[in-house]
């Protein structure tokens, strides 16, 4: 065979490619070129190649073993390094804590987003898209939040742990200094007063603001809950009120607590640091007030004595004048009392007043009962009609409730109005009938006489007609009537 072709053939084999990586190219080409015959050249080349391959494999094995040993020692050294241990523990803890928190946050946010998106096809899915969207959104949000939070927490906590451990001496020194500073500040009376004032202000203002935020947030949440009420069967109203009240209480408590803490702390600090000046000012003010009080007291005492003397003189004069006037007033009062008593007895004995009072009481009782019954029926009907408006949100319970409330209000209003109307109308009617009783009696007697006359006239006419009819019947039959011409029996 041609040595050139044989050389090209072996160059294309995988073994040659491997040997080229372990043997210089010039040596391989020289061995192939010097081969005079195919058999002797190939045998010599194979023997030399085998020897070099074995040598290279031994070298690679020794290198691999040495590299593995070095890597093992390096890994052991790294694992035994306290810095690496602290960093790994911090990274794991940060991943767990931050990942859990962000997973929960992602669950809440994803559920909210999924719920909102589920409202779009709610009409076509009979409302099933809302919980399904919340479930899918919560799962995706928890997964994304856990992954992002875990990665962030692992990186941040690992870096923080590494930095804290490598700088532990400096941190320890700083903490010792900070502890000494905190102890010194905590022992300072000014800091204690300021902290107590800030805590009290935060509690007072925070509580008030939280209560206000609860009321406002509940109101806003209830109003916003009316929007999807048709799709949630009214459950969004109390849920919106609950969420709005919680958010309002939290925000109000935070804002009010912060404001109260800052304001009360500043007031306490200023009052304590300026306590000497405040004490001096209060002493001066007290002395000033006491001086004014003493001067006022002496002036008032002098004026009181003068006023007392003048009052005694005026009292003496007034006593005489009043005694005279009292005698006159007593006589006038006695005469007025006697006249009033006589007038009262006269009115009480007056038959028209008694009749009017009895009629007014009876009319009030009768008309108030009818008015209460009418108001009960009318108010119940109106209340039931009004209760139809929110019936969709109360599952029909608003109809009987509104009907009961309307019946009660209508009965009360009807009773009051009917009582007043019956009292006035009955009294007026009784008074008018009693004062006109003679006219009414004469009218009744006249009517009775007219009715008696008419009755007698009708009876006479009826008797005459009967006699006439019998006479005509007897004449027509040729018989003799058993009655006379005057209608009497024969």
């Amino acid at each position: 065979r041609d040595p050139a072709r044989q050389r090209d053939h072996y160059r294309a084999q995988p073994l040659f490619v491997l040997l080229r990586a372990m043997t210089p190219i010039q040596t391989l080409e020289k061995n192939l070129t010097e081969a005079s015959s195919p058999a002797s050249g190939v045998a010599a080349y194979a023997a030399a190649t085998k020897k070099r391959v074995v040598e290279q494999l031994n070298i690679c094995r020794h290198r691999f073993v040495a590299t593995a040993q070095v890597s093992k020692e390096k890994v052991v050294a790294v694992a035994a390094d306290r810095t690496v241990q602290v960093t790994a523990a911090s990274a794991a803890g940060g991943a767990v804590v931050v990942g859990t928190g962000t997973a929960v946050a992602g669950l809440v946010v994803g559920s909210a987003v999924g719920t909102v998106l589920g409202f779009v096809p709610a009409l076509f899915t009979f409302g099933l898209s809302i919980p399904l969207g919340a479930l899918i959104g919560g799962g995706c949000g928890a997964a994304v939040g856990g992954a992002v939070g875990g990665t962030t927490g692992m990186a941040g906590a690992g870096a923080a742990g590494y930095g804290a451990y490598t700088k532990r001496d400096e941190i320890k020194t700083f903490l010792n200094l900070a502890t000494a500073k905190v102890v010194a500040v905590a022992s300072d009376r000014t800091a204690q007063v300021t902290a107590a004032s800030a805590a009290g202000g935060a509690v007072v203002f925070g509580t008030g603001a939280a209560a206000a935020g609860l009321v406002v947030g509940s109101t806003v949440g209830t109003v916003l809950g009316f929007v999807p009420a048709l799709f949630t069967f009214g459950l969004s109203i109390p849920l919106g009120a609950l969420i709005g009240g919680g958010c309002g209480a939290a925000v109000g408590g935070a804002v009010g607590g912060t404001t109260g803490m800052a304001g009360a702390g500043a007031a306490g600090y200023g009052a304590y640091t300026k306590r000497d000046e405040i004490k001096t000012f209060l002493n001066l003010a007290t002395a000033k007030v006491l001086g004014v009080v003493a001067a006022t007291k002496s002036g008032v005492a002098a004026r009181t004595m003068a006023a007392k003397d003048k009052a005694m003189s005026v009292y003496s004069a007034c006593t005489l004048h009043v005694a005279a006037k009292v005698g006159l007033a007593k006589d006038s009062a006695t005469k007025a009392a006697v006249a009033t008593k006589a007038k009262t007895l006269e009115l009480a004995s007056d038959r028209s007043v008694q009749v009017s009072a009895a009629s007014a009481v009876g009319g009030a009782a009768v008309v108030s009962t009818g008015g209460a019954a009418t108001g009960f029926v009318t108010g119940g009907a109106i209340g039931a009609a009004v209760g139809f408006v929110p019936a969709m949100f109360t599952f029909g319970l608003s109809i009987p409730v509104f009907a009961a409330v309307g019946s009660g209000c209508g009965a009360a209003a009807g009773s009051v109005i009917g009582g007043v109307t019956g009292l006035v109308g009955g009294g007026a009617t009784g008074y008018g009938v009693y004062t006109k009783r003679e006219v009414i009696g004469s009218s009744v007697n006249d009517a009775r006489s007219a009715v008696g006359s008419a009755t007698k006239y009708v009876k006479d006419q009826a008797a005459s007609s009967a006699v006439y009819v019998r006479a005509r019947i007897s004449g027509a039959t040729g018989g003799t009537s058993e009655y006379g011409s005057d209608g009497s029996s024969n």
Side-chain angles (χ1 to χ4, degrees):
R1 295 184 180 180
D2 186 7
R5 294 181 60 188
Q6 188 177 13
R7 185 170 62 250
D8 295 337
H9 173 71
Y10 282 108
R11 285 179 176 176
Q13 298 302 318
L15 180 61
F16 186 80
V17 176
L18 177 61
L19 292 176
R20 286 188 63 184
M22 297 184 296
T23 307
I25 299 175
Q26 293 83 0
T27 305
L28 293 176
E29 291 179 352
K30 181 179 180 182
N31 292 335
L32 290 174
T33 304
E34 292 179 352
S36 59
S37 63
S40 61
V42 170
Y45 176 73
T49 302
K50 180 179 180 181
K51 181 179 179 180
R52 292 189 61 83
V53 167
V54 173
E55 291 176 356
Q56 293 295 329
L57 290 176
N58 290 331
I59 294 172
C60 291
R61 186 183 64 181
H62 290 305
R63 289 180 179 177
F64 178 75
V65 172
T67 304
Q69 185 65 27
V70 173
S71 300
K72 180 180 180 181
E73 294 175 356
K74 187 67 175 176
V75 169
V76 172
V78 170
D81 188 2
R82 186 65 177 171
T83 304
V84 176
Q85 294 175 357
V86 172
T87 304
S90 301
V96 171
V97 174
V98 180
T100 303
T102 52
V104 173
L107 175 65
V108 175
V109 175
S111 299
V113 175
T115 302
V116 173
L117 295 178
F119 275 109
V120 178
L123 292 175
F124 308 103
T125 60
F126 302 99
L128 296 178
S129 59
I130 299 175
L132 184 60
L135 181 63
I136 296 175
C140 295
V144 174
V148 174
T151 304
T152 305
M154 182 173 63
Y162 176 79
Y165 188 76
T166 54
K167 301 293 184 181
R168 59 186 180 278
D169 295 331
E170 293 84 343
I171 294 174
K172 186 176 181 180
T173 303
F174 173 76
L175 289 178
N176 292 331
L177 295 175
T179 302
K181 186 68 175 176
V182 169
V183 171
V185 171
S187 302
D188 187 7
R189 186 65 178 170
T190 304
Q192 295 174 357
V193 172
T194 303
S197 301
V203 171
V204 174
F205 284 92
T207 303
L214 176 64
V215 174
V216 175
S218 300
T219 304
V220 174
T222 302
V223 173
L224 294 179
F226 273 105
V227 178
L230 292 176
F231 307 105
T232 60
F233 302 101
L235 295 178
S236 60
I237 300 175
L239 184 60
L242 180 62
I243 296 175
C247 295
V251 174
V255 174
T258 304
T259 304
M261 182 174 62
Y269 176 79
Y272 188 76
T273 54
K274 301 294 183 181
R275 61 187 181 278
D276 295 331
E277 292 84 346
I278 294 174
K279 186 176 180 180
T280 303
F281 173 76
L282 290 178
N283 291 332
L284 293 175
T286 303
K288 186 71 173 177
V289 170
L290 291 177
V292 173
V293 169
T296 305
K297 187 176 180 180
S298 60
V300 168
R303 288 182 176 81
T304 301
M305 292 300 296
K308 185 177 180 181
D309 295 337
K310 188 172 183 178
M312 289 300 296
S313 62
V314 173
Y315 174 75
S316 299
C318 289
T319 301
L320 298 176
H321 184 72
V322 168
K325 294 295 184 181
V326 164
L328 295 176
K330 186 176 180 180
D331 295 338
S332 300
T334 302
K335 293 179 181 179
V338 171
T340 301
K341 182 178 180 180
K343 187 66 175 177
T344 302
L345 292 175
E346 181 182 358
L347 289 176
S349 301
D350 190 359
R351 186 63 178 172
S352 61
V353 175
Q354 296 175 356
V355 172
S356 299
S359 302
V361 173
V366 173
V367 180
S368 65
T369 303
T374 305
F376 181 82
V377 175
T378 305
I382 295 175
V386 175
F388 271 105
V389 178
M392 295 182 64
F393 309 107
T394 60
F395 301 101
L397 295 178
S398 60
I399 299 175
V401 172
F402 278 52
V405 175
S407 298
C409 296
S415 177
V416 173
I417 296 173
V420 174
T421 304
L423 181 69
V424 176
T429 303
Y431 179 78
V433 169
Y434 186 78
T435 53
K436 301 294 183 180
R437 62 186 182 280
E438 296 179 355
V439 178
I440 295 173
S442 61
S443 299
V444 170
N445 292 330
D446 294 343
R448 186 180 298 168
S449 299
V451 170
S453 301
T455 302
K456 185 174 181 303
Y457 176 76
V458 170
K459 287 176 65 176
D460 294 341
Q461 291 295 325
S464 300
S465 299
V467 171
Y468 177 76
V469 169
R470 280 195 296 271
R472 292 295 301 268
I473 293 174
S474 299
T477 56
T480 303
S481 175
E482 58 180 346
Y483 293 96
S485 60
D486 57 355
S488 60
S489 177
N490 290 328

